[in-house]
Amino acid sequence: MYDKIYGFVQSVDDLVWGWGMIILLLGTHLFLTVRTGFIQRKTITRGIPLSVAKEEGADGEVSQFGALATALASTIGTGNIIGVGTAIALGGPGAVLWCWLTGVFGIATKYGESLIAVKFRVKTPDGRMQGGAMYALERGLNMKWLGILFAVFAGFASFGIGCATQVNAIAEVVNTNLGVEPWIIGVIIAVLTAFVIFGGIKSISSVCEKLVPFMAAFYVIGCLIILGINHEYVIPAITTICKLAFADKGAVAGGLVGGGLRYAIQYGVARGLFSNESGMGSAPIAAAAAKTRNPVRQALVSSTGTFWDTVVVCLMTGLVLVSTMMKNPAINAESIIDGGKLTTMAFSQIPYLGPVILVVGIITFAYSTILGWAYYGERCVEYFSGKKGLIPYRVLYIAVALIAPVLALDLVWKIADILNALMAIPNLIAVLLLSPVIVKETRKYVNNLDAVDDTPVPVIETGIGGKKEK
């Protein structure tokens, strides 16, 4: 029975992640790169400095850095560690390049979707800021039905990409390295998650602001140590990645074999989207809660998330894994079929501390993702059900965390991929159709980032049938 279910899910995954989705996603990245005048050039010079600047007297619930930290918490997760390994296992080393390119050009899409999230955000009667693809579709395009579809897809996706895969990954790595039973991990994560998510965005962002810088620095240092150990293989690894990104199946230096052009692109792009979420419409939900003077300021801050997540962290992971495989050709055939095993093998090269770095990295990355996606899911559920849906959602989210350690991870990953694609489609429609708004706002504010947007934010009831208030 399981084989039949997995086969069906695999066929659906191949369908939604076919060339149509790949062209839509990469096409949107390239289109917005051109339309925004290569906004990526502002990432380091303006986006990063703005992300740590204090915003005084602006509407919003959390700081710009708090919103970015919440978004990064949801994106810097197991996709950066196990996900990259899975992409290499299924698509070959060439998938690393496609994952990286998805990040480079995805910066423009993250910028655009965050801009319209802030531009069309609303305020609830109790003073909370809410926004995202659903509000952009409703208020910017008068397509609330499509906004509801996005919210439904994202709400369900939160249980997979945001919760089940993350808890499962924590349970697997802790059980393997420390011998703790998976069900115990499920109980611990469920309790810790409950404490935080019942406090709302301010509680979540407060935890993420402290957790994200630590976990990213800790993991990057580990990667740098491994690259130092594998220094003779770093340049060959880069060459191999570039060759196999455009090649049919075949062996290259070190005996590595590519998965073929289609699978390199499919799994590289899919894991790139899973990692940085550019085009999915999830991170803009956090961006909409930020205190910001105008939409462009927060859009630039949000776009740095993709830079850190994929352009830096995923690339380092990819180089670590491929250089390790080239250094140890005798075990490539065994390790290539399992992304998690490949990652464990790479970090075991660091004496004594390697497994610790990997365990701490996966736990912190995954737990922060659980928190970030809990917020995304709540906002989507509130959009179509009102506040009455929040408590049931939180209870169900915690229940999924409780049972996730015993779920089949390969099936959960496939389902998460499918839901990612389904929520990306309405979001990309919003971004493309509202691109004139993105261009207009960019021209208005990009060279005057201190200007204040005096457009009033409407007060609106959430949930289907909600009424605006004056």
Side-chain angles (χ1 to χ4, degrees), residues 379-391:
R379 296 289 71 78
C380 290
V381 169
E382 186 173 357
Y383 177 75
F384 62 76
S385 71
K387 294 181 70 173
K388 65 180 180 294
L390 294 182
I391 298 300

Side-chain angles (χ1 to χ4, degrees), residues 29-45:
H29 291 351
L30 293 171
F31 176 74
L32 284 180
T33 295
V34 174
R35 289 285 280 157
T36 59
F38 200 77
I39 198 65
Q40 290 92 331
R41 61 193 169 88
K42 299 284 186 180
T43 301
I44 296 177
T45 59

Side-chain angles (χ1 to χ4, degrees), residues 291-415:
K291 297 176 182 178
T292 186
R293 299 175 198 176
N294 60 66
V296 170
R297 274 179 83 93
Q298 186 57 39
L300 286 170
V301 171
S302 296
S303 68
T304 65
T306 298
F307 172 78
W308 293 120
D309 178 89
T310 307
V311 177
V312 176
V313 177
C314 280
L315 175 61
M316 294 187 70
T317 302
L319 289 176
V320 162
L321 299 184
V322 175
S323 64
T324 298
M325 292 162 62
M326 298 185 75
K327 184 180 179 181
N328 301 277
I331 54 177
N332 281 335
E334 178 184 358
S335 62
I336 193 67
I337 62 173
D338 189 329
K341 187 174 181 180
L342 174 58
T343 307
T344 300
M345 180 188 70
F347 276 82
S348 65
Q349 295 176 97
I350 303 177
Y352 306 110
L353 292 179
V356 175
I357 293 174
L358 182 62
V359 170
V360 173
I362 289 180
I363 290 174
T364 54
F365 279 25
Y367 181 62
S368 66
T369 300
I370 293 167
L371 299 182
W373 266 94
Y375 176 71
Y376 296 160
E378 283 191 14
R379 296 289 71 78
C380 290
V381 169
E382 186 173 357
Y383 177 75
F384 62 76
S385 71
K387 294 181 70 173
K388 65 180 180 294
L390 294 182
I391 298 300
Y393 171 80
R394 290 169 179 169
V395 172
L396 184 57
Y397 196 83
I398 294 167
V400 171
L402 190 64
I403 66 172
V406 299
L407 298 177
L409 186 60
D410 53 352
L411 182 62
V412 172
W413 273 98
K414 291 294 181 183
I415 295 173

Side-chain angles (χ1 to χ4, degrees), residues 230-289:
N230 296 347
H231 66 276
E232 295 181 5
Y233 298 90
V234 173
I235 298 302
I238 294 173
T239 302
T240 297
I241 288 169
C242 293
K243 284 183 178 180
L244 291 181
F246 302 96
D248 290 329
K249 290 185 177 181
V252 294
L256 298 187
V257 179
L261 179 61
R262 184 214 167 172
Y263 288 107
I265 296 176
Q266 177 182 343
Y267 290 107
V269 172
R271 289 293 175 260
L273 177 61
F274 187 95
S275 170
N276 63 57
E277 300 176 15
S278 293
M280 277 177 57
S282 50
I285 297 174

Side-chain angles (χ1 to χ4, degrees), residues 159 163 167 186-187 189-198 370 374 391-404:
F159 296 114
C163 189
V167 178
V187 172
I189 296 299
V191 171
L192 293 176
T193 301
F195 274 122
V196 178
I197 68 174
F198 275 91
I370 293 167
I391 298 300
Y393 171 80
R394 290 169 179 169
V395 172
L396 184 57
Y397 196 83
I398 294 167
V400 171
L402 190 64
I403 66 172

Side-chain angles (χ1 to χ4, degrees), residues 20-172:
M21 184 62 194
I22 292 172
I23 291 171
L24 175 62
L25 183 63
L26 292 181
T28 301
H29 291 351
L30 293 171
F31 176 74
L32 284 180
T33 295
V34 174
R35 289 285 280 157
T36 59
F38 200 77
I39 198 65
Q40 290 92 331
R41 61 193 169 88
K42 299 284 186 180
T43 301
I44 296 177
T45 59
R46 302 310 302 271
I48 293 176
L50 280 174
S51 66
V52 294
K54 291 186 177 180
E55 194 75 21
E56 303 292 344
D59 280 340
E61 294 184 75
V62 297
S63 66
Q64 290 178 315
F65 181 71
L68 174 63
T70 302
L72 276 173
S74 69
T75 55
I76 299 184
T78 55
N80 298 83
I81 304 177
I82 296 176
V84 175
T86 302
I88 294 173
L90 298 175
V96 175
L97 179 62
W98 290 105
C99 180
W100 186 76
L101 288 174
T102 300
V104 172
F105 291 104
I107 290 174
T109 301
K110 181 67 70 67
Y111 168 85
E113 62 187 2
S114 298
L115 189 154
I116 59 176
V118 176
K119 180 67 177 176
F120 295 106
R121 66 182 178 176
V122 302
K123 184 183 292 186
T124 62
D126 58 0
R128 293 174 297 118
M129 285 290 190
Q130 305 212 25
M134 53 279 202
Y135 292 99
L137 286 163
E138 177 185 352
R139 297 187 60 231
L141 296 170
N142 196 29
M143 299 172 69
K144 185 167 184 173
W145 65 273
L146 195 53
I148 292 173
L149 276 181
F150 170 84
V152 171
F153 289 144
F156 277 107
S158 70
F159 296 114
I161 180 178
C163 189
T165 58
Q166 311 301 329
V167 178
N168 197 299
I170 293 175
E172 182 178 1

